[in-house]
Amino acid sequence: MPKGMYLSVSGRIHPGSGGQTRALLLRNRLFAQYSDVKPILLALDDAPTYPQIRQTLLKQGELVEGMQLLNLFEWYRDNNIDHLPPVDEALPEAASLDQIPVAHPDGTLYQTQHVKRHGADLVMLDYHRADGSVYLRVPAGKPGVASPATKVYLVNSKGEPVGRWSTQRGWRRKWIRTLLEPKRKAFLFCDSRYAIDDILPLDDRRLHIMHIMHNIHVRSPFLWSSPLNPTYEPLFESIRHVDGLLTLTSRQGADIADRMGATDNMFVVANPVETPSAPDPLPTRATKHFVMIARLEQQKRIEDAIRAFALVLTEEPAATLEIFGDGTMHDFLSREIRALGVGDSVRLAGHDPRAREALWRATAMLMTSRFEGYPLATLESLSQGCPVISYDIKYGPREQLTHGVDGFLIEQGDLQGMADRMLELIRDPQLVVRLSQGAFEKAKHHDPLALLHDWRQVIEQVIERKPRRTTIESVDFEVTRLGYRRPHRLPDEYAKGLLRRFNGRRSGSGGFRKAPAVEFAGRLTLVGKSKAGTLKEAVFTLEAIDEASGTILALPLKVRRTGNLFRLSAGFDLTQAFATTQADALQLRLRLVWHNSSWQTLLARPRRLAPNYELSYADGGELTLLRGPTPGQSLP
């Protein structure tokens, strides 16, 4: 692996956390066990229990020799910062407030909550060293605010502020910089879409920042153009600041590229899986017993598995389904089981640390999620030779399973299709054996050495591309021509004179019986900077898009550059744009990609062609009269 510090940051790292934390721990453990990397894990939460967390993770084998787990609050509680110079600002007073002490698990004072007298409103938080002195004072904001801190004061042992930031983001970045070694490369991995907002932008020549996406980034219907999940908005606004944005599947990477542009800081690395030690002798696989291992939450759509299994029971009443996991949907699922009358065959087994042992014996594992990132449960099932019957969803199952070889892919929502596959396995034990063998083989493609090989390639490319990172400071874009090409178009200068004479008072075209040719021309001035990247490496594309269906059609585009001025032109027949789609309406999207940076716009008609009145036709053919801007009024 490339030489340097390997840091992984997350909001919290607690035993028993979900797949994102499990993937973080697994990646770093494999780094430590199969290479010379000494990973450092960074947790940002204020839980005072990290000594116990380390012991638990060590006992579980998720923290091994060569790995460190550091916590932000614990680090400042334990480390001397008296060498830092005081800042020119007084510490906010807390003398007039009531105090509520909070003990550390070791019996010392951990935290003091300062509240209004005779009231419960939190005004300020103090965090204490083991000797009782304050090392951090955090004034609180309005009650109910998700991130209530308004300022953060780092305090030396004399009670003097030695650091002051407007939010916790500043001192978290300070901590990361403090941990870096002089003149040594550092690779910072972030698995949390919440923590990444605390990191970006973080400019440091030593740092190479990579973010790993563990879940889908859009809402239903899960197209590239679907509404963005709000929790991903900070990341997507800052993609240009990361040295590497990693998805677990190429399909998700392609969807992000369709949305944001195919920047050169995007990579794909799939989750790994370790094949566990098989029982000796290997248990005989059941012929009528199915399992699920999932959180009982809406995302997992477990009710579909129960309903599909109810169809199985009408033909194979001896079949059983065991569902491992806890969650907010427990009561709903219990009612569903009772309503379907399958309580003797379907069991909600709750959380069980040994649940995965059931995969050695099960006929198959079921997955009915609405969406995933790259589910670890599927890989773990394959590693234990357990076939998987899964909905074909975004993202993961299609990349993990080969239909008919190690499991089955079912169109999502097809309950009868899922039931039919379960019945097929019940009635053909030899098929179960073949799929089980295929599952073992597939798991080998996700072994630790494959992970290290992929990560080595990514990190080497991140290092190589770092000098060519770019920043787009401004884009000045003007459309000079956009519309259908008239058979005998006048020369440009004469046409401009006519337009000035008529002051833009021309009505729009109602429609065409035959598809006309379309022309576009424009000028774009790009102002940006890069250490090694040049403007000749900027890539422009023109596309006809329909966001409703996700349709994208590339169109021919000519680009001529003079310095930082780009002259753009295109011409195409409308039949080209509609040839491969059933969409009724398309828009034209112009996009610029310059290494890690991108810019895009939907083409609109030139301002000088803005009519005062226009004719249009509705879908049913009805004529619509439109009023444009009044003379002299500019368009927004």
Side-chain angles (χ1 to χ4, degrees):
M1 300 291 289
K3 301 297 183 182
M5 300 181 68
Y6 283 72
L7 310 163
S8 287
V9 63
S10 184
R12 62 194 295 269
I13 301 175
H14 291 197
S17 295
Q20 176 179 297
T21 301
R22 289 174 54 214
L24 178 152
L25 289 166
L26 177 58
R27 180 184 70 244
N28 284 282
R29 178 166 60 82
L30 296 181
F31 279 172
Q33 292 177 324
Y34 292 91
S35 76
D36 57 357
V37 169
K38 305 297 182 185
I40 303 173
L41 281 56
L42 309 179
L44 303 178
D45 62 321
D46 67 350
T49 55
Y50 272 86
Q52 294 90 333
I53 289 172
R54 290 187 191 89
Q55 290 302 315
T56 301
L57 293 176
L58 283 167
K59 184 177 180 180
Q60 294 175 348
E62 296 185 277
L63 202 62
V64 299
E65 184 178 355
M67 296 172 65
Q68 293 184 66
L69 172 56
L70 305 180
N71 172 259
L72 169 66
F73 287 79
E74 181 185 61
W75 193 91
Y76 278 106
R77 172 182 165 92
D78 295 342
N79 281 272
N80 189 321
I81 57 173
D82 285 352
H83 62 283
L84 298 176
V87 298
D88 188 19
E89 184 170 342
L91 202 62
E93 290 292 335
S96 62
L97 302 170
D98 287 341
Q99 299 180 0
I100 303 175
V102 178
H104 192 277
D106 65 9
T108 62
L109 181 62
Y110 176 67
Q111 182 190 85
T112 299
Q113 300 175 2
H114 299 279
V115 299
K116 292 181 179 178
R117 291 193 184 279
H118 313 298
D121 287 348
L122 181 65
V123 177
M124 201 174 301
L125 281 174
D126 280 345
Y127 291 87
H128 300 269
R129 300 180 181 86
D131 63 8
S133 62
V134 174
Y135 72 85
L136 189 72
R137 175 161 291 179
V138 184
K142 296 180 180 178
V145 176
S147 182
T150 55
K151 290 183 180 180
V152 177
Y153 294 87
L154 193 60
V155 185
N156 63 20
S157 62
K158 301 176 184 178
E160 302 169 328
V162 293
R164 181 268 189 195
W165 298 273
S166 58
T167 66
Q168 293 202 39
R169 176 185 299 177
W171 84 291
R172 289 169 177 171
R173 293 177 182 175
K174 167 68 175 179
W175 182 48
I176 291 172
R177 286 195 176 98
T178 300
L179 297 175
L180 300 183
E181 298 177 9
K183 299 182 180 180
R184 189 183 181 196
K185 286 187 176 70
F187 309 108
L188 180 65
F189 306 86
C190 182
D191 293 75
S192 167
R193 57 185 179 271
Y194 304 103
I196 194 68
D197 191 34
D198 288 319
I199 297 171
L200 297 177
L202 181 54
D203 293 325
D204 191 298
R205 289 185 302 174
R206 296 167 291 180
L207 264 181
H208 301 74
I209 300 174
M210 286 159 276
H211 177 72
I212 303 98
M213 297 184 66
H214 289 275
N215 220 321
I216 195 166
H217 57 284
V218 291
R219 292 178 167 179
S220 181
F222 309 124
L223 303 172
W224 70 263
S225 51
S226 296
L228 193 65
N229 184 325
T231 61
Y232 276 105
E233 288 177 359
L235 170 65
F236 275 70
E237 292 171 357
S238 302
I239 283 179
R240 65 190 182 279
H241 294 302
V242 297
D243 298 290
L245 177 68
L246 288 106
T247 56
L248 304 175
T249 65
S250 57
R251 273 198 300 161
Q252 186 171 21
D255 281 352
I256 295 174
D258 285 342
R259 187 184 199 97
M260 305 293 294
T263 53
D264 67 0
N265 58 348
M266 295 179 61
F267 306 91
V268 179
V269 174
N271 277 335
V273 66
E274 284 187 299
T275 302
S277 299
D280 187 16
L282 197 66
T284 301
R285 197 160 290 282
T287 57
K288 299 182 180 182
H289 180 61
F290 299 84
V291 299
M292 293 189 77
I293 302 176
R295 293 177 290 109
L296 307 188
E297 302 294 345
Q298 286 189 355
Q299 175 191 344
K300 303 300 181 179
R301 197 164 35 184
I302 294 170
E303 63 273 17
D304 272 22
I306 296 171
R307 292 163 186 167
F309 197 74
L311 299 176
V312 172
L313 292 173
T314 61
E315 299 188 40
E316 293 288 346
T320 54
L321 172 62
E322 200 167 20
I323 302 169
F324 294 94
D326 285 331
T328 60
M329 298 285 287
H330 181 277
D331 292 345
F332 168 80
L333 296 173
S334 297
R335 292 194 297 270
E336 190 70 13
I337 291 170
R338 290 194 299 270
L340 293 170
V342 296
D344 293 337
S345 305
V346 179
R347 184 171 81 93
L348 296 178
H351 174 71
D352 186 343
R354 298 175 299 175
R356 287 172 180 80
E357 294 178 10
L359 296 171
W360 290 114
R361 297 176 173 82
T363 310
M365 190 189 81
L366 309 182
M367 176 170 287
T368 52
S369 299
R370 287 178 168 82
F371 56 87
E372 290 286 348
Y374 198 80
L376 284 173
T378 312
L379 294 178
E380 289 167 345
S381 184
L382 296 175
S383 73
Q384 293 178 240
C386 184
V388 179
I389 306 175
S390 174
Y391 279 170
D392 185 11
I393 55 169
K394 289 185 174 180
Y395 300 96
R398 188 189 300 179
E399 289 79 8
Q400 295 169 331
L401 303 175
T402 302
H403 186 78
V405 175
D406 42 46
F408 295 113
L409 292 169
I410 310 295
E411 184 178 351
Q412 58 176 313
D414 184 3
L415 302 184
Q416 187 61 59
M418 179 158 283
D420 289 344
R421 290 304 185 183
M422 285 188 272
L423 289 168
E424 186 177 356
L425 294 180
I426 290 172
R427 294 165 182 172
D428 188 351
Q430 288 305 309
L431 176 59
V432 176
V433 172
R434 291 198 301 273
L435 294 183
S436 179
Q437 292 171 343
F440 280 126
E441 288 299 316
K442 180 60 69 67
K444 294 178 182 178
H445 297 294
H446 294 80
D447 68 7
L449 293 181
L451 172 83
L452 264 66
H453 175 268
D454 291 345
W455 269 113
R456 186 184 71 236
Q457 287 191 324
V458 167
I459 295 171
E460 287 174 348
Q461 290 180 71
V462 162
I463 295 171
E464 188 268 331
R465 294 175 185 178
K466 180 87 170 180
R468 294 199 300 272
R469 284 191 51 173
T470 63
T471 298
I472 295 178
E473 297 176 326
S474 68
V475 173
D476 183 16
F477 175 59
E478 178 189 7
V479 175
T480 56
R481 185 166 69 249
L482 183 64
Y484 68 92
R485 181 188 296 132
R486 294 172 176 79
H488 303 290
R489 185 167 62 83
L490 294 171
D492 280 352
E493 290 306 313
Y494 188 45
K496 291 177 183 177
L498 286 176
L499 287 169
R500 286 193 293 269
R501 178 179 175 185
F502 287 103
N503 195 27
R505 292 182 176 85
R506 57 169 62 184
S507 40
S509 174
F512 303 91
R513 288 188 176 274
K514 182 180 178 182
V518 174
E519 287 184 315
F520 154 67
R523 294 188 294 264
L524 185 146
T525 302
L526 170 63
V527 178
K529 60 183 180 182
S530 175
K531 182 178 179 181
T534 63
L535 287 178
K536 68 179 181 181
E537 295 162 336
V539 177
F540 288 86
T541 55
L542 181 66
E543 298 164 320
I545 65 169
D546 173 32
E547 293 187 351
S549 65
T551 298
I552 300 179
L553 176 69
L555 298 171
L557 179 68
K558 295 180 180 179
V559 181
R560 292 181 298 140
R561 182 179 69 88
T562 305
N564 66 339
L565 171 65
F566 297 84
R567 291 180 172 85
L568 313 169
S569 61
F572 57 92
D573 194 295
L574 278 186
T575 54
Q576 292 178 254
F578 285 97
T580 59
T581 178
Q582 299 299 314
D584 294 323
L586 298 173
Q587 294 175 301
L588 295 182
R589 179 176 66 187
L590 177 68
R591 174 178 282 162
L592 156 68
V593 172
W594 189 29
H595 291 300
N596 56 288
S597 303
S598 66
W599 171 92
Q600 63 188 32
T601 187
L602 294 176
L603 296 187
R605 62 187 167 197
R607 292 175 181 269
R608 60 185 175 79
L609 289 180
N612 298 323
Y613 304 95
E614 192 167 7
L615 303 180
S616 182
Y617 295 90
D619 291 342
E622 299 88 355
L623 177 67
T624 303
L625 306 180
L626 302 175
R627 182 196 301 273
T630 57
Q633 178 183 352
S634 62
L635 290 173

